Amino acid sequence: MKSEMYNHYELWEHPIEEVLFLEDEDVVMEIDIYEDSEYIDVKAFDVISHGADINILFIESGEVKIRKELYEYKIKLGDNLFLYGNKKEIEETFSKEIEEMKKKKSASD
């Protein structure tokens, strides 16, 4: 019955975990770019190491969500990167940004 139901629904009607085939180590994560980030003025394409299991879904810059021409876009202070991929690789690549996000969150609590 499950396979029959699966065939009758559009892809967008399925849960995100099912569509993206998330495994235990995969996550969707938002990363805030803070003032001392090493990624400011770096092209989004250059942030992700070749062969890394990290994908940029989109970048939120102010009110604008950028999906087209992501790889030519230069990251700015205050941008939010929405990533999909291996949790460990994301945490290693963006360790300073994650630490800064934790500091801001604990300061606001």
Side-chain angles (χ1 to χ4, degrees):
M1 182 168 167
K2 183 178 179 180
S3 64
E4 188 175 319
M5 287 178 56
Y6 186 84
N7 292 329
H8 292 6
Y9 288 98
E10 295 294 326
L11 184 63
W12 57 268
E13 294 177 301
H14 292 275
I16 193 165
E17 285 126 340
E18 190 176 308
V19 173
L20 295 177
F21 304 109
L22 291 175
E23 297 183 20
D24 291 340
E25 63 275 356
D26 290 340
V27 294
V28 174
M29 189 178 289
E30 178 182 356
I31 300 294
D32 301 337
I33 301 299
Y34 68 101
E35 62 189 25
D36 293 329
S37 174
E38 64 186 275
Y39 300 119
I40 293 175
D41 290 328
V42 175
K43 288 183 180 180
F45 180 77
D46 296 332
V47 169
I48 308 302
S49 302
H50 179 68
D53 186 10
I54 303 173
N55 297 287
I56 301 174
L57 298 174
F58 66 94
I59 297 173
E60 187 176 64
S61 184
E63 298 292 318
V64 178
K65 291 180 177 56
I66 301 160
R67 290 192 308 179
K68 294 181 181 180
E69 302 174 12
L70 268 179
Y71 295 111
E72 292 299 315
Y73 178 80
K74 285 191 176 183
I75 296 171
K76 298 183 287 209
L77 170 64
D79 283 354
N80 297 316
L81 282 58
F82 289 81
L83 308 171
Y84 164 71
N86 181 275
K87 181 179 181 181
K88 183 178 177 185
E89 288 186 48
I90 293 172
E91 289 176 342
E92 288 172 359
T93 302
F94 296 96
S95 60
K96 294 176 185 173
E97 286 73 16
I98 292 169
E99 186 62 34
E100 190 65 26
M101 289 166 55
K102 287 178 182 176
K103 286 179 189 176
K104 285 184 180 181
K105 185 177 183 337
S106 65
S108 67
D109 288 343

